[in-house]
Amino acid sequence: SGASKPVTPVTPTPEPEKPTTPATPKPDKPTTPATPEPDKPTAKTPAAKGTTLNLSGYKLKVKVTSSSKSNPTVAVIGVTDSKTKEISIPATISYDGVTYKVTKIADNAFKGNKKLTTVTMGNNVTSIGKNAFSGCTALAKATIGKNVTTIGDKAFYKCKKLKSITMSAKARVIGSSAFSGCTSLTKATIGKNVTSIGDKAFYKCTKLASITILDKVKKIGNSTFYGCTSLKKATIGKRVTSIGKNAFYGCKKLKTITIKSSKVKTIGKNAFKSINKKATITLKGTKKANKALKKKLKKSSVGYVKTWKIK
């Protein structure tokens, strides 16, 4: 038999590899940097209570009365320059980054200041201390702040050039001798909510021509209008219960007096001594009250003379 032909193995031809397309990288999203928060300013700390601050820009010296961060306050204690003639006391002052309310004029703040002619008070002032302007002999004009409730004893004592005064509607108390010796004072408007007028409050205000004591006043002190030699007319309000001794003593021109109160319990000794001999006193209380008041007025101890007309 014939020899078999060898079988040649078939070698498979490999398929060429497909080139791999590299994936296109996605661009990174740009990162937005975080906006830094601004630093909060650090709140300034008010000066310690009792600290004196010299405020040359305001021409004032003040003393810290409250160092509360939420409501720091000061009281005016004087001027930075003794030659200052005019001052305006603001509602607030700023010092070292802190704003303080000006709430008071301290006792003796301007006492004896002979240069001061004009003062205006801001709307945060609630109190005028004792002797605050006592002896300010050149002071001719004082504008009292609309929120002042208390005018202290001798606050304007012997301010001999002061011509008029208007109190705020919020005023409650006029201290003893508050305007005593204000010999140029021709007009005084008493606040409608004043309840008490102290002893000698208008003592020897020799140019004061008329006075109206409004309806919330309960007490007229001793010698309140003593020696007001120009006083011609006085009206006493509905709630007055007491007229002090010597209250109108020596008001030699006082000829017209109206008493609206039905509540007068006491009239002090010499209350109307040496007023005009032809004075007319008109009583506007109830019939019963008027009858009792006539009896009180018709006593020599209060200064009664027969030529008075009481009606």
Side-chain angles (χ1 to χ4, degrees):
S1 65
S4 297
K5 291 181 180 179
V7 177
T8 304
V10 179
T11 305
T13 304
E15 290 184 12
E17 291 182 4
K18 291 181 181 178
T20 305
T21 305
T24 305
K26 292 183 180 178
D28 292 337
K29 289 182 181 178
T31 305
T32 305
T35 304
E37 290 186 12
D39 292 336
K40 292 181 180 178
T42 305
K44 294 279 187 177
T45 302
K49 184 177 179 180
T51 303
T52 297
L53 309 177
N54 290 316
L55 308 168
S56 56
Y58 299 95
K59 304 179 185 177
L60 296 171
K61 289 181 184 177
V62 300
K63 184 174 280 190
V64 177
T65 50
S66 170
S67 56
S68 160
K69 283 188 177 182
S70 60
N71 188 30
T73 61
V74 294
V76 176
I77 60 171
V79 288
T80 53
D81 182 353
S82 61
K83 294 179 182 178
T84 299
K85 291 184 177 182
E86 298 182 4
I87 58 167
S88 178
I89 297 169
T92 61
I93 59 97
S94 294
Y95 184 87
D96 196 22
V98 178
T99 299
Y100 300 82
K101 282 184 181 178
V102 184
T103 60
K104 183 177 181 179
I105 300 172
D107 295 352
N108 306 307
F110 302 98
K111 185 179 179 180
N113 186 316
K114 308 296 184 189
K115 299 288 185 182
L116 194 62
T117 62
T118 306
V119 61
T120 302
M121 299 171 202
N123 290 335
N124 284 327
V125 174
T126 59
S127 173
I128 302 171
K130 296 176 183 178
N131 292 299
F133 297 94
S134 177
C136 291
T137 51
L139 185 64
K141 184 179 180 182
T143 303
I144 294 178
K146 69 179 184 180
N147 289 310
V148 169
T149 59
T150 303
I151 299 171
D153 297 349
K154 292 189 173 181
F156 293 90
Y157 179 74
K158 288 192 175 180
C159 292
K160 294 181 178 180
K161 289 190 177 179
L162 189 63
K163 293 178 182 177
S164 71
I165 202 80
T166 300
M167 295 165 211
S168 75
K170 293 187 178 180
R172 299 284 188 277
V173 177
I174 302 172
S176 298
S177 299
F179 299 96
S180 177
C182 292
T183 51
S184 295
L185 191 68
T186 59
K187 182 184 177 185
T189 302
I190 295 175
K192 66 181 182 180
N193 288 307
V194 168
T195 58
S196 176
I197 303 174
D199 296 349
K200 296 186 176 181
F202 295 91
Y203 182 90
K204 290 193 175 180
C205 291
T206 51
K207 289 189 178 178
L208 189 64
S210 70
I211 195 76
T212 299
I213 297 162
L214 296 173
D215 290 339
K216 290 193 178 179
V217 174
K218 296 177 182 177
K219 178 186 176 185
I220 300 170
N222 298 330
S223 302
T224 296
F225 300 98
Y226 182 107
C228 292
T229 51
S230 296
L231 190 66
K232 295 176 182 178
K233 182 179 179 181
T235 301
I236 296 171
K238 291 179 180 179
R239 295 190 186 181
V240 170
T241 61
S242 171
I243 301 171
K245 64 183 181 181
N246 299 313
F248 293 91
Y249 186 103
C251 297
K252 59 187 180 182
K253 290 185 180 179
L254 183 56
K255 202 172 180 180
T256 304
I257 301 168
T258 303
I259 302 176
K260 295 161 71 177
S261 178
S262 296
K263 299 179 180 182
V264 177
K265 298 287 191 293
T266 58
I267 301 175
K269 186 177 180 181
N270 295 327
F272 296 98
K273 178 82 171 176
S274 299
I275 65 169
N276 193 284
K277 288 181 180 179
K278 293 185 178 180
T280 296
I281 303 176
T282 303
L283 308 181
K284 290 195 170 181
T286 63
K287 285 185 179 181
K288 184 179 178 181
N290 289 349
K291 187 176 180 180
L293 189 51
K294 272 186 183 181
K295 287 183 180 179
K296 289 183 173 74
L297 288 167
K298 285 187 173 183
K299 289 183 178 179
S300 59
S301 61
V302 304
Y304 173 75
V305 292
K306 289 182 179 179
T307 47
W308 285 1
K309 183 186 283 187
I310 303 174
K311 61 180 188 175

